[in-house]
Amino acid sequence: MTQRTVADFLTPEGFSQPSVSAVLREGSVVTEAGRYAVQAFGSRGARRRTPYGSRPARMTEPVLLVPGFLAGDSSLGPMSRSLRHEGFRTYRADIRANVGCTLAAAAQLEERLEEITQRRGSRVRIVGHSLGGMLARGVAARRPDLVAGIVTMGSPMLAPGAHHRSLTRSVDLLVRLNRAGMRNLMAEDCVAGHCAQESFAQARAELPPGVDFTAIYSRRDGIVDWRACIDPVARAVEVRSSHVGMAFDPTVIAAVSAALRPVVVASVVEVERGDIA
C-alpha cells in the first residue's frame, strides 16, 4: 500500500515498510518448497508402512484455513494435507482470491464458520496466513461462540500498512480496476476510508476469554514488518521462514500443528491421608 493510496493510520508510529531489498529474503521460498516436497515424499512412504490402527487419532475440533492477500484456498493446500495426515479435519475458506473488500471477506468467513460449526457440532480453530490471520482475529473477537482458537502466520495486525512496496503496487492496481468498474475488488474505501478503519478496529478488538491465540512470525519476513505480527495478547512463536513460505514450510506447519492442539493444564491435587482423590 502506498502513501498515496493507504491511510496513515494503517502504519502506526514504530512500524515501517520493509526496505526495497528485503524482498530478496523471499528467495528462500525455493528451499522451503523443497523441504516440503522431501518431507511429503517421505511421509507417503511412512504412511504405507504404518498400520491403520497406529495412525494419529482424529482431532475433534475442525480447522479452517484462510489464505492471505492475493492468494486463494489452494495456497494452503500443502498445509491442509499435512495437517490431515496428523489427524486434523481441515476446511477451506471458499476464497478463490483474497482481493476484495475486507469487511465482505470477514462476513463470508463468519458464514463459513457457522456452516462448519453446525455440521461438526463444535467450535472451529482458524489458521490464517497474512491478511487471512487478520480476518480470523476479527471474527474470533466478534464470534467466540464459533471460534475456539486462532493461529496467525505473518499477519501484521498491529500495522497493516507496514508492508513491502511490491504489495503497494498490487493494491494500487486493484483500486484502479475497481474505479474502472470491476467490482468485487478492493476499493479505495478499503484502504483509506471507513471500511479500512472498521477492518483495522476489528483486527484489534479485544479477544474474549476462552479463545486461544498463537501468532507465528519470522524476522526473515521480506513482505511485512515482522514486529507488526506480534500481538501483545498472543502466544508468540518465531520461525525461520519467508513470508510466502509460511504456507508450506515444514517447520511452520509443525508450529501450527502444535498450536492447534488444545492446551492441557496439569493440576496438582493434594491428597491428605485417608482422603480419596
Side-chain angles (χ1 to χ4, degrees):
M1 302 179 184
T2 63
Q3 298 299 323
R4 178 176 59 82
T5 304
V6 179
D8 291 339
F9 65 79
L10 293 178
T11 310
E13 186 176 353
F15 302 98
S16 61
Q17 294 179 317
S19 65
V20 176
S21 61
V23 75
L24 296 176
R25 295 197 292 267
E26 292 298 301
S28 64
V29 69
V30 176
T31 302
E32 292 149 7
R35 284 203 298 263
Y36 174 80
V38 170
Q39 185 180 78
F41 181 79
S43 296
R44 282 197 294 269
R47 285 194 300 274
R48 294 192 190 100
R49 297 188 297 271
T50 302
Y52 184 80
S54 301
R55 294 180 182 179
R58 177 80 71 176
M59 302 297 290
T60 57
E61 291 175 324
V63 177
L64 177 63
L65 304 177
V66 188
F69 179 57
L70 298 178
D73 290 328
S74 60
S75 68
L76 293 174
M79 179 172 289
S80 176
R81 287 189 289 273
S82 294
L83 292 176
R84 281 178 173 267
H85 294 326
E86 294 185 29
F88 294 98
R89 193 187 303 271
T90 62
Y91 290 84
R92 295 174 297 180
D94 288 341
I95 296 178
R96 292 184 179 179
N98 204 346
V99 295
C101 171
T102 48
L103 290 181
Q108 177 184 336
L109 182 59
E110 188 171 336
E111 291 179 1
R112 181 66 169 144
L113 284 167
E114 289 176 342
E115 176 187 340
I116 297 173
T117 299
Q118 291 174 3
R119 181 186 304 177
R120 307 308 320 175
S122 170
R123 291 196 299 167
V124 181
R125 291 185 178 269
I126 313 177
V127 177
H129 184 207
S130 197
L131 175 60
M134 296 172 62
L135 296 173
R137 195 193 186 292
V139 173
R142 188 169 63 254
R143 296 296 306 272
D145 57 313
L146 300 175
V147 183
I150 59 176
V151 181
T152 60
M153 303 179 294
S155 302
M157 292 156 292
L158 305 185
H163 60 250
H164 195 270
R165 60 186 61 184
S166 59
L167 256 65
T168 296
R169 291 192 288 270
S170 298
V171 171
D172 284 344
L173 176 60
L174 292 176
V175 170
R176 288 198 298 270
L177 290 174
N178 181 276
R179 288 173 183 160
M182 295 185 65
R183 301 306 174 190
N184 300 320
L185 295 179
M186 193 170 284
E188 187 172 4
D189 188 49
C190 296
V191 294
H194 173 73
C195 179
Q197 292 177 328
E198 181 63 23
S199 296
F200 191 26
Q202 288 184 9
R204 298 299 308 123
E206 182 179 355
L207 280 177
V211 177
D212 251 1
F213 183 11
T214 299
I216 297 175
Y217 71 97
S218 172
R219 294 172 191 261
R220 290 185 53 81
D221 198 314
I223 301 298
V224 303
D225 186 340
W226 62 268
R227 299 170 300 175
C229 303
I230 306 177
D231 194 299
V233 303
R235 182 187 309 109
V237 176
E238 182 175 4
V239 296
R240 186 175 177 82
S241 170
S242 66
H243 183 83
V244 175
M246 287 186 184
F248 46 77
D249 190 322
T251 60
V252 179
I253 294 176
V256 170
S257 176
L260 288 173
R261 299 182 187 279
V263 178
V264 178
V265 180
S267 60
V268 178
V269 180
E270 183 176 348
V271 182
E272 295 183 1
R273 184 176 299 177
D275 290 345
I276 299 177

